[in-house]
Amino acid sequence: MVDSAEKDMDNPTFRSDTVLSDVHLHCPSKRHLMVRLNAVGQPVFLSYFKLLWSTEDLASGKHVREINTGREHQCRSGDELCDKDRSNTEKEGELNSEGVEALLDDDGDLEVVRRPRSASDLQAEDLLRDIVCPVILMKGREDAFEDEEQECTCSDVVKIEHTMATPLEDVGKQVWRAAFLLADYILFKRDTFRCCSVLELGGGTGITSIIMGTVAKRVYCTDVGEDLLTMCEQNVALNKHLMEPGGGEIKVKELDWLKDEFCTDPEAPYSWSEEEIADLLDHCSVIMAADVFYDDDLTDALFRTLYRITHNLRNSCTVYLALEKRLNFTLRHMDVTCEAYSHFRNTLNDLENLQDGKMKYTVEPIKLDFCQSLVYERIEQL
């Protein structure tokens, strides 16, 4: 199986419906160990995502200092890039001060300076770009991780099994930036979530639930698909040591937004017991979801599920939604649009304006000026 997969990885092909997450491409030299093929023949990789500080320090109340140190370390490690960004910003400021005409050609058209297609023809070293390609290691090469393991302590690494490219229906098996963004916020606001009972909708690989499990009392990480839920459960087991200091617990469960009830069939894997449903409805005070707004029908189903669950909760609840606005050119509009995000915002407004005499929803944006705890690219579309 591994030999066949290795041949496939040597000659990768992407169909028109293939979706690729770029989280693992942010650090091109990062190593990804292919550990197995899942039930549908997709290669599954094990990746290490390093926290910028130790969770043990956070538990002892040192998180403010460590967060600041982490950001300073990030800037120091990328001094060259930071300097280049500052230089570009200064140049942009000079262009703006000279007026729009500086960006126009003789005919009045916008003049766009493009990077040459072939880097081999470039003479200036500062324009050369590294090939962004993850280092893929096959099963049986676990020893290749030894150096990395020595550099990372158990308390500052999250181990996640995931895929790298899937059809749209399997995107939950990949790791997405909005999950890291929400994880950052959880770590930054640890006291807010301490000892809470939490429900995650569309948990995917489980990375956000795992981070939440370091501070919350209990987390119900939910999604659909036995293969995905098995992967999620494996990731929870791989990171059990992160939850142990705080006594947190993560339960992986099935929750289908297209159905009106919890799955309670005792024969079905990842079904709910009556006690678990009662515990969720009696104690849940936080619901979260990250990067699940990419399909209008699923967005509608998610908000119906949100309404149904919050309607039945004993206590008031705060819902945290994180997403990335993805811009696409559409023939219908003949322009770059973000239709999935627009539909999300419209549905969110409908929820806020809902007047049924039973529930009231208030929507507040969260500023993204909190410190970054995980290594990923925090782009402006998040």
Side-chain angles (χ1 to χ4, degrees):
M1 290 177 68
V2 172
D3 291 339
S4 174
E6 186 171 14
K7 186 180 296 184
D8 292 340
M9 295 308 298
D10 288 339
N11 300 283
T13 58
F14 296 97
R15 303 181 307 176
S16 60
D17 62 346
T18 298
V19 181
L20 175 67
S21 168
D22 58 1
V23 165
H24 58 278
L25 299 179
H26 180 54
C27 300
S29 61
K30 197 73 174 174
R31 290 170 289 182
H32 304 268
L33 176 67
M34 187 187 132
V35 291
R36 61 186 171 86
L37 294 176
N38 62 19
V40 294
Q42 297 165 342
V44 175
F45 298 87
L46 176 65
S47 296
Y48 288 13
F49 298 101
K50 194 175 188 305
L51 293 166
L52 298 181
W53 67 85
S54 167
T55 53
E56 293 175 353
D57 291 335
L58 287 170
S60 63
K62 299 179 181 178
H63 59 287
V64 174
R65 177 180 61 81
E66 292 294 344
I67 289 175
N68 292 334
T69 302
R71 289 297 293 272
E72 290 167 3
H73 172 72
Q74 258 195 309
C75 196
R76 281 198 302 271
S77 63
D79 278 342
E80 184 177 348
L81 182 60
C82 290
D83 291 340
K84 186 179 293 185
D85 289 342
R86 281 192 292 269
S87 175
N88 290 339
T89 302
E90 291 170 359
K91 290 179 181 178
E92 289 175 3
E94 293 172 3
L95 285 173
N96 291 335
S97 65
E98 294 172 5
V100 178
E101 292 182 356
L103 299 176
L104 304 180
D105 62 14
D106 295 336
D107 297 327
D109 298 320
L110 182 65
E111 190 171 280
V112 180
V113 179
R114 301 186 183 277
R115 186 184 299 275
R117 184 177 297 273
S118 174
S120 61
D121 298 329
L122 301 177
Q123 300 297 324
E125 292 184 357
D126 59 330
L127 292 180
L128 290 176
R129 299 180 66 186
D130 294 331
I131 297 176
V132 179
C133 182
V135 179
I136 298 172
L137 305 173
M138 306 305 294
K139 190 173 182 179
R141 295 283 308 280
E142 289 90 340
D143 58 316
F145 273 114
E146 287 182 359
D147 294 339
E148 191 167 332
E149 285 182 333
Q150 291 175 0
E151 297 173 3
C152 303
T153 63
C154 290
S155 61
D156 63 4
V157 169
V158 181
K159 300 178 183 179
I160 296 293
E161 286 193 1
H162 62 97
T163 57
M164 287 189 179
T166 64
L168 185 62
E169 62 268 20
D170 282 338
V171 291
K173 297 175 184 176
Q174 300 188 52
V175 184
W176 301 94
R177 273 187 288 236
F180 286 100
L181 181 71
L182 186 52
D184 272 347
Y185 186 74
I186 292 167
L187 290 170
F188 183 65
K189 290 285 190 179
R190 291 176 67 89
D191 291 341
T192 300
F193 303 106
R194 198 174 300 280
C195 300
C196 286
S197 183
V198 180
L199 169 67
E200 181 174 15
L201 301 174
T205 61
I207 187 167
T208 309
S209 281
I210 289 167
I211 295 298
M212 180 65 84
T214 64
V215 289
K217 177 181 179 182
R218 182 172 293 111
V219 181
Y220 290 97
C221 181
T222 68
D223 216 310
V224 292
E226 184 176 349
D227 197 42
L228 172 58
L229 293 171
T230 300
M231 176 186 290
C232 181
E233 191 172 55
Q234 169 69 4
N235 287 331
V236 171
L238 285 172
N239 296 279
K240 189 177 180 180
H241 61 281
L242 296 176
M243 280 83 74
E244 287 176 346
E249 177 186 22
I250 299 177
K251 294 192 173 187
V252 179
K253 296 293 176 182
E254 177 185 327
L255 183 56
D256 191 340
W257 307 339
L258 300 177
K259 298 179 180 178
D260 293 332
E261 302 294 337
F262 293 95
C263 176
T264 56
D265 182 1
E267 300 297 323
Y270 305 105
S271 63
W272 297 71
S273 67
E274 295 296 337
E275 291 77 15
E276 288 169 337
I277 296 175
D279 174 66
L280 175 72
L281 299 180
D282 287 344
H283 301 106
C284 180
S285 59
V286 174
I287 298 177
M288 61 181 183
D291 237 331
V292 295
F293 304 102
Y294 55 88
D295 177 272
D296 291 355
D297 291 335
L298 288 179
T299 295
D300 293 339
L302 171 64
F303 277 97
R304 288 195 299 269
T305 300
L306 267 180
Y307 175 78
R308 174 173 60 85
I309 292 176
T310 54
H311 179 73
N312 290 295
L313 292 179
R314 180 183 295 271
N315 304 305
S316 60
C317 178
T318 304
V319 183
Y320 295 89
L321 305 176
L323 71 159
E324 179 179 338
K325 293 183 284 186
R326 292 182 173 85
L327 304 174
N328 297 287
F329 179 86
T330 61
L331 292 176
R332 184 157 64 94
H333 295 91
M334 291 302 292
D335 198 0
V336 176
T337 64
C338 193
E339 293 184 303
Y341 177 73
S342 298
H343 185 77
F344 159 75
R345 288 306 303 258
N346 291 334
T347 312
L348 188 64
N349 290 337
D350 292 341
L351 186 70
E352 187 176 23
N353 296 327
L354 179 68
Q355 295 180 354
D356 62 355
K358 300 175 182 179
M359 301 289 295
K360 180 180 179 181
Y361 297 89
T362 303
V363 178
E364 298 179 4
I366 295 175
K367 293 183 179 180
L368 303 188
D369 55 358
F370 50 88
C371 295
Q372 187 167 335
S373 324
L374 290 153
V375 180
Y376 67 100
E377 191 177 12
R378 188 182 285 188
I379 60 176
E380 63 180 11
Q381 285 78 25
L382 284 172

